[in-house]
Amino acid sequence: MVETSARIEFLKKIHLFYGLKDDELLAVAEQLSESSYAKDSVVFQQDSKPESFYLIYSGKVKIVRKSQSKEITLATLVKNDYFGEMALVTNRRRSGTVTALADTLLLVLPRAGFEKLFKTAPHIRLNLDLAIRTRQLAQSLQFKWLAPDEVIYFLARKHPVVLYQNLVLPLFALVVPLGLLYAWFAIAKFLIVLFAALLSSVAVSLWIVWQVIDWGNDYYIMTNRRVVWLEKVIGVYDSRQESPLSTILSVGVETDAVGRALDYGNLMVRTFVGKIPFNHVSHPDQARRMIEEYWNRSKEQAVGMEKEAMKNAIRRRLGIPIPPQPQAAPVKPADVPQKRSRINLLRFLGANTLKLRYEKGEDVIYRKHWFVLLEQAWIPMALTLGVVGLLLYRLFQLAFIPGRFISFEGGLSVDAWAGALIIAFFPLFAWVIYEVVDWSNDIFEVTNDQIIDLDKKPFGTQTRNAAQLESILSTEYKRIGILGELFNYGTVYITVGGTKLAFEDVMDPASVQSDIDRRRAARIEKKNQAAVTAERERMAEWLATYHHSATEFIEEEKKKNQKPE
């Protein structure tokens, strides 16, 4: 039986009940009942009626949804987590089956008590709204980079007000096609005016669609392991900035007058190597409490794991059997995402050829900005476009003279100007392709253990400079010139020993520097962990030696104190 005082302390650790006063927490604690579930027993089935809200006091559960004869694991929840709220709030049947993965003790709040709490406590409504949005969004998305036992606790997009702000200019731009259509109907019905109206309407529509997709492609995520900022610009930029929970130093909220009125703001997650901004998220104060709760959990788990590791090290030295540790369930082959031939075909055709940033496994690849490509290839591009324009103009002229383009009188003959332009097109186009491939082959790569500057000439030589992450002494970035400021590109300088490596003309150099610093910190932390493990083993050896020596000393003292017969 869990005492009421223990229940209150338990509730205080859960962000959901943040903002409740002590008497309100007492009222909730007194309504809770206890239910114990043995391993592999079912708490409730999918599609059953929602009758209660559940808090995990100890143990672990798994939520599984059956869909079209397939089982999808939605989440694995542990102590201090909760579940069952979505069906109660939305008044729908259970979306999944919950099964105990170990002996589990649940604190259960009946539906009547939950609904009363939801109606009378505004903090609970906001906290639940944030949690439900997270779980609904997490169920609709699949992030392949998540570990099998990794749970998403916070997932959000930017507030819709950001989308509305970004749509102001495209909506104003609709005036252009509307004005052209009016001119075509009311003033003069020239085909060129109608064509311009249709072309501009398509362009503005694509602009609006692009803004919506771009807004929906940015995600802010916190799991039981890390905080992540996903940012994607279609065909241009694909970024994932992340930090382990153990590297978080603080979590802050920044809001302005409009943000306070509409309840959105910026969350600043500060880490050892900088900060990860969660910009324009809804309910920022509740989100901060949620992140802080799981951050504190990670610290408690780290302390517990260190203590257990020390115990096991001493057990090994003393020859005491180590208790079996719970093993993570193996990933079934069906659960591993299979690569599709369509994706492989896209990669073969060069889906990443023009991307300025993309990821390949654990590695991050950067390219120079498109302005560098224009500087290299503007001459062949201009000549190619000029030839294409002249060819189209010549074909337009020949369209009104039958038989001039291709003639079979007296043998096959082709218009001299058109033929010359077609012949000129191919070497110029090959020149453009060469410059694009040359630009694309100049890449900067950040792996888990090193940075690489790779420059490869098509059909030519390859130059590769690399440095270990732990050898980096400092990093800095510079945006040079007005174009660098306007289009946010510059050079990141990495000092290694007495030399410098430069990631030249990369887009968003601040993020590139942050990526490098974050990887460097992770690499150094890994080495530090190895040093801590070695020190732990050394201390365990001392303690084991002390234990054996103390036993020997006691035995020797007993022998000395024994009286001779």
Side-chain angles (χ1 to χ4, degrees), residues 151 217 230 238 443:
V151 181
N217 274 340
L230 288 182
D238 191 357
I443 63 175

Side-chain angles (χ1 to χ4, degrees), residues 536-549:
R536 183 194 305 130
E537 294 294 332
R538 189 165 66 92
M539 291 182 63
E541 178 66 26
W542 287 355
L543 291 171
T545 302
Y546 169 79
H547 176 79
H548 290 305
S549 299

Side-chain angles (χ1 to χ4, degrees), residues 495-542:
T495 303
V496 182
T499 62
K500 275 190 176 183
L501 292 178
F503 284 17
E504 299 174 340
D505 299 318
V506 291
M507 184 175 179
D508 196 1
S511 294
V512 177
Q513 181 194 37
S514 179
D515 275 349
I516 295 172
D517 287 341
R518 191 171 291 107
R519 295 288 181 106
R520 178 179 63 168
R523 178 72 172 174
I524 293 174
E525 178 65 19
K526 186 176 180 180
K527 291 195 130 189
N528 291 341
Q529 286 296 329
V532 169
T533 301
E535 180 65 17
R536 183 194 305 130
E537 294 294 332
R538 189 165 66 92
M539 291 182 63
E541 178 66 26
W542 287 355

Side-chain angles (χ1 to χ4, degrees), residues 268-306:
M268 293 299 168
V269 183
R270 293 175 176 83
T271 68
F272 292 142
V273 292
K275 60 184 179 181
I276 297 182
F278 287 13
N279 293 325
H280 305 104
V281 296
S282 300
H283 312 322
D285 290 316
Q286 285 71 25
R288 175 181 62 85
R289 293 296 304 182
M290 180 182 285
I291 293 176
E292 287 179 343
E293 176 191 341
Y294 296 112
W295 170 34
N296 291 329
R297 273 203 218 177
S298 70
K299 290 191 290 186
E300 293 176 1
Q301 291 173 357
V303 172
M305 291 173 63
E306 179 61 27

Side-chain angles (χ1 to χ4, degrees), residues 423-459:
I423 293 173
F425 169 78
F426 289 102
L428 290 174
F429 184 69
W431 188 4
V432 172
I433 296 299
Y434 176 89
E435 294 294 348
V436 171
V437 173
D438 182 39
W439 168 84
S440 180
N441 283 343
D442 191 3
I443 63 175
F444 310 104
E445 186 172 357
V446 183
T447 71
N448 286 329
D449 55 3
Q450 60 182 342
I451 56 172
I452 302 168
D453 179 0
L454 184 63
D455 188 6
K456 181 181 178 182
K457 291 291 182 182
F459 316 110

